[in-house]
Amino acid sequence: MTKEYRTASEILKEKYEERGWNQEMGFDTKATSTEQIKPLPFSEEEYRSFSVLLAKLALQDKDPNLCETYFELQRRAYYGNRYSPIEEMSKNEQEIWSLGTGEIVEDVKNHIR
C-alpha cells in the first residue's frame, strides 16, 4: 500500500482555493516577492534600537497605527535587509499583534494559534 504525498505548494494551493483567495482576490505572487521589498536605511544596530522603542510606544499608547508600523519595520528588516529577528521581542510581538488586529495570540509549544 503506497501513501500519497503532496508537496507544500500543492497543499498551499488547495488551502487558497478553499478560502477563495485565488483570482477573485487578485492575489499576485509577484507582488509579494521579497526582491521588491525595499531595505531599511538603518544599520542593524539602529534597526534593533528603533524596533524596541517602537514596540514600547505601540504598547504604551495602545496605538494600532504604531502596531502596523512595527510589523512593517520587521518585514522590511527581515526581507529587505536580511537582518535576523530580535528573539527577546517575541512576547511583546504577541501583545502588539493582539492590540493591532484584535486577535488573541496564544503560544502553544512553538506554534502560534
Side-chain angles (χ1 to χ4, degrees), residues 54-55 57-59 62-74 95-101:
L54 187 58
L57 285 173
L59 290 173
K62 298 188 184 322
D63 186 343
N65 291 327
L66 288 178
C67 296
E68 185 176 333
T69 303
Y70 173 81
F71 285 110
E72 177 63 16
L73 176 74
Q74 298 307 310
E95 293 178 40
I96 294 169
W97 182 265
S98 296
L99 178 64
T101 64

Side-chain angles (χ1 to χ4, degrees), residues 81-93:
N81 296 83
R82 303 285 189 233
Y83 294 156
S84 60
I86 305 171
E87 296 298 325
E88 309 86 54
M89 294 298 292
S90 63
K91 181 71 174 163
N92 287 342
E93 285 180 352

